[in-house]
Amino acid sequence: MGIMLVYDITNAKSFENISKWLRNIDEHANEDVERMLLGNKCDMEDKRVVPKAKGEQIAREHGIRFFETSAKANINIEKAFLTLAEDILRKVGAYRICLKKTP
């Protein structure tokens, strides 16, 4: 019900794959799947090769949430997972309400 796409901010090739991954999701996943984009390793600012603005832009173009995270330094990890879970629950709740209203 939820997919996190993760790229490494210190590796341009990992970011270049995001568009392909998003196309694959559009082609093969349920249309209701929640998607989120994460730029990982934000604790390594000195080695950054993918600007934050690029991540924000592709997320905006696809209407998905974006966070920069660091698994190592535990930056925005919990926030990303909780946000994805809340978005899924909100969608499931709205779906259940629609089912109840259908005769």
Side-chain angles (χ1 to χ4, degrees), residues 23-80:
R23 275 194 308 277
N24 283 335
I25 292 168
D26 289 342
E27 291 173 11
H28 303 290
N30 186 316
E31 65 185 44
D32 288 346
V33 71
E34 281 295 322
R35 301 168 298 158
M36 177 180 284
L37 180 61
L38 303 177
N40 195 39
K41 297 188 180 177
C42 70
D43 60 307
M44 300 177 70
E45 190 62 41
D46 57 324
K47 294 186 169 124
R48 177 189 289 273
V49 295
V50 180
K52 184 176 183 179
K54 278 190 157 189
E56 291 170 332
Q57 178 184 359
I58 198 165
R60 198 170 33 255
E61 288 170 1
H62 291 273
I64 61 177
R65 292 188 187 269
F66 172 76
F67 293 99
E68 283 203 334
T69 61
S70 169
K72 182 179 179 182
N74 194 24
I75 299 169
N76 282 337
I77 298 297
E78 184 175 353
K79 183 176 183 179

Side-chain angles (χ1 to χ4, degrees), residues 6-19 21 49-50:
V6 183
Y7 68 91
D8 178 346
I9 71 162
T10 69
N11 180 330
K13 258 204 183 324
S14 71
F15 182 77
E16 292 166 9
N17 289 323
I18 296 295
S19 292
W21 295 342
V49 295
V50 180

Side-chain angles (χ1 to χ4, degrees), residues 77-89:
I77 298 297
E78 184 175 353
K79 183 176 183 179
F81 276 94
L82 288 175
T83 300
L84 184 62
E86 288 169 357
D87 289 346
I88 291 168
L89 289 172

